[in-house]
Amino acid sequence: MQTLPLLPELPDHTTVASRHGQAISRARFLRDVLALADRLPAGRPLLNLCKDRYLFAIGLFAAIARGNLSLLPNATTAENIAALRAREPDLLCLSDQAEAPFGLPHLPLAFNPDTAPATTATMPQIDAEQTVACVFTSGSTGEPQAHFKHFGRLVAISLAEAERLWTVTGGPCAVLGTVPFQHMYGLESTVLLPLIGGGILSAEQPYFPADVSTALTALPAPRLLVTTPFHLHNLLDAEIGIPPLAALLSATAPLARELAQQAEARVGVPMLEIYGSTETGQLATRQPTQNEAWTLFPGIHLQQQDAATTASGALEQDIVLGDVLELLDATHFHLLGRGSDMINIAGKRSSLAFLNNVILRLPGVRDAAFCLPHEGEASRLAAFVVAPGISTKDILHGLRAWVDAVFLPRPIIFLDTLPRNATGKIPASAMAALIAEHLEPDA
């Protein structure tokens, strides 16, 4: 049995986290983890709903040390929680809220601001094959599916990500994320990357641009901002001051080259992108302004048969990817689009992701999403758009310069907002509801 230390070897005084401007040492973090681990009932599945990223990390690492499985749902709707409770009747909720969420059995967590020196504790050794987390797909392409993650795989990919990113940034960074840490991207890049990869975890999860700027300012340099195309677009549009960064990192949706160029010009640092999925975790990175090709992490292999691409190697199991890839060599590929996004109208092919990127860069468009309400080559595309003061004629005129006429949306439905989740995606159920409300014949 291969075992790994719960945390990497670092001096006890090393700062590993920041919470509301307070630096937290490695010794303090380990003390908090082991104190909670002693309170956990052995073997009981845990639902970690902490909103404070530091307390979430305490709960996650305490569960690993104690041998409990952490369940990380993609959304905390009553329906999702009821499904989890039916799946795991013995579920125990970890939360930093005073009231028990959803009426679940509840173990509340709170930050104790005492400054007493943390005593040196024995580092737990964890079986590399221990299943430590169950994460769920976002539901953007259907019903959420559960995927189990092993400790050794999470450690290995966190170290690989750290090596790849810190090479660009010039060293370990304080990491702030606008993304939820129950999501695979947020878990890997805002919790595991700093704690296993030698950076500094930020407890905050800001959403609005002004709050992002404030939270970044409170962190020591160098700083890394982990975000999404949707959040990045809003941040740049706000035209507020952004403190010096070492790099920007994006995932969850394709990052348009134009948005990446705008971000690099505005912030003055490299704009990096992660490719992966809930099923696989992160697989590759690129800097889209410099190269369209993606570079795989070490130990990841891709094989193709017909149109299907399978990822293997340093994964829990071989996974058939939902994307259409062009393999360039053993370590590089082009991402052509998500399989479910590829459309064929009147014999011409495109992707919803490409069309969304085009419409989102039109002047005056704040948010937008194409959809194909009905399957078949005779179908027409539609688009839901948030664009105050802009007309249908303006949007069609802007699109004609970039897309074939068969892909022009008819109709265009103007809305006040689009139902995006915390990762900036529109779940399949939400898109189906929009189509039913606005595009069905009897709507």
Side-chain angles (χ1 to χ4, degrees):
M1 178 179 71
Q2 179 192 9
T3 62
L4 299 168
L6 180 67
L7 296 170
E9 193 64 38
L10 290 171
D12 282 348
H13 66 271
T14 303
T15 297
V16 299
S18 174
R19 187 177 185 276
H20 303 328
Q22 177 181 348
I24 299 172
S25 70
R26 177 183 181 276
R28 169 66 193 270
F29 178 73
L30 182 58
R31 182 187 71 180
D32 288 348
V33 166
L34 297 183
L36 177 58
D38 287 341
R39 298 169 58 198
L40 295 178
R44 192 168 178 180
L46 305 176
L47 175 62
N48 192 334
L49 295 184
C50 292
K51 299 181 183 298
D52 180 304
R53 189 182 278 105
Y54 180 76
L55 294 178
F56 172 87
I58 293 298
L60 176 69
F61 279 81
I64 295 171
R66 182 64 166 155
N68 299 74
L69 176 68
S70 293
L71 301 180
L72 306 176
N74 64 85
T76 55
T77 63
E79 181 182 15
N80 275 15
I81 301 304
L84 285 181
R85 197 167 189 178
R87 177 190 182 116
E88 300 286 353
D90 200 28
L91 194 63
L92 176 65
C93 179
L94 302 182
S95 169
D96 47 10
Q97 307 302 304
E99 299 293 329
F102 303 99
L104 291 167
H106 182 218
L107 180 58
L109 306 186
F111 183 77
N112 181 359
D114 75 76
T115 56
T119 57
T120 301
T122 302
M123 181 64 64
Q125 299 296 309
I126 310 300
D127 181 355
E129 295 301 314
Q130 179 179 323
T131 303
V132 298
C134 176
V135 296
F136 293 80
T137 55
S138 66
S140 60
T141 58
E143 289 297 316
Q145 301 295 317
H147 293 274
F148 295 90
K149 304 298 175 180
H150 298 158
F151 184 67
R153 156 65 181 165
L154 293 178
V155 169
I157 200 61
S158 299
L159 293 175
E161 182 184 15
E163 181 177 2
R164 183 74 57 86
L165 297 186
W166 300 161
T167 298
V168 175
T169 61
C173 292
V175 180
L176 178 71
T178 65
V179 293
F181 28 89
Q182 284 87 358
H183 182 272
M184 196 65 197
Y185 169 46
L187 175 68
E188 290 179 318
S189 294
T190 72
V191 177
L192 301 179
L193 169 65
L195 291 176
I196 292 176
I200 298 175
L201 173 147
S202 170
E204 281 68 54
Q205 185 190 335
Y207 179 83
F208 295 106
D211 296 331
V212 173
S213 178
T214 299
L216 284 170
T217 301
L219 292 175
R223 309 173 182 94
L224 171 70
L225 177 61
V226 178
T227 190
T228 72
F230 177 70
H231 295 144
L232 180 62
H233 187 277
N234 289 342
L235 179 62
L236 297 179
D237 275 358
E239 297 185 348
I240 61 173
I242 301 173
L245 300 177
L248 292 155
L249 182 66
S250 177
T252 74
L255 178 65
R257 183 182 180 89
E258 292 81 359
L259 181 57
Q261 291 171 334
Q262 181 186 358
E264 288 190 347
R266 169 75 186 283
V267 184
V269 298
M271 178 78 244
L272 305 173
E273 193 173 6
I274 289 274
Y275 172 76
S277 67
T278 302
E279 298 90 332
T280 62
Q282 53 197 330
L283 298 177
T285 63
R286 70 171 182 172
Q287 186 176 350
T289 62
Q290 304 299 313
N291 199 328
E292 290 186 1
W294 296 84
T295 302
L296 291 169
F297 284 115
I300 301 296
H301 310 289
L302 299 178
Q303 300 87 31
Q304 282 187 331
Q305 184 174 2
D306 299 325
T309 303
T310 300
S312 61
L315 301 173
E316 282 79 10
Q317 60 185 3
D318 293 356
I319 298 289
V320 178
L321 303 180
D323 297 311
V324 181
L325 273 55
E326 176 191 3
L327 304 189
L328 304 177
D329 55 39
T331 56
H332 298 89
F333 64 89
H334 284 153
L335 175 60
L336 303 182
R338 187 152 188 87
S340 59
D341 275 356
M342 304 304 292
I343 52 176
N344 187 330
I345 299 178
K348 299 182 178 182
R349 291 175 60 83
S350 188
S351 76
L352 295 177
F354 167 76
L355 296 171
N356 287 337
N357 280 332
V358 171
I359 196 170
L360 283 169
R361 65 177 181 241
L362 297 181
V365 174
R366 294 182 181 175
D367 199 4
F370 274 80
C371 69
L372 188 64
H374 307 287
E375 296 295 332
E377 290 199 11
S379 298
R380 288 210 64 108
L381 288 163
F384 298 102
V385 177
V386 179
I390 304 299
S391 70
T392 296
K393 182 179 178 181
D394 294 331
I395 291 175
L396 291 175
H397 177 75
L399 289 175
R400 284 192 180 95
W402 298 95
V403 304
D404 191 283
V406 300
F407 300 118
L408 294 177
R410 298 187 187 276
I412 295 174
I413 307 298
F414 289 91
L415 302 173
D416 292 333
T417 60
L418 292 183
R420 296 188 182 273
N421 61 21
T423 63
K425 296 182 179 181
I426 301 177
S429 59
M431 179 58 76
L434 286 178
I435 291 172
E437 179 179 357
H438 298 282
L439 300 174
E440 294 297 339
D442 58 350

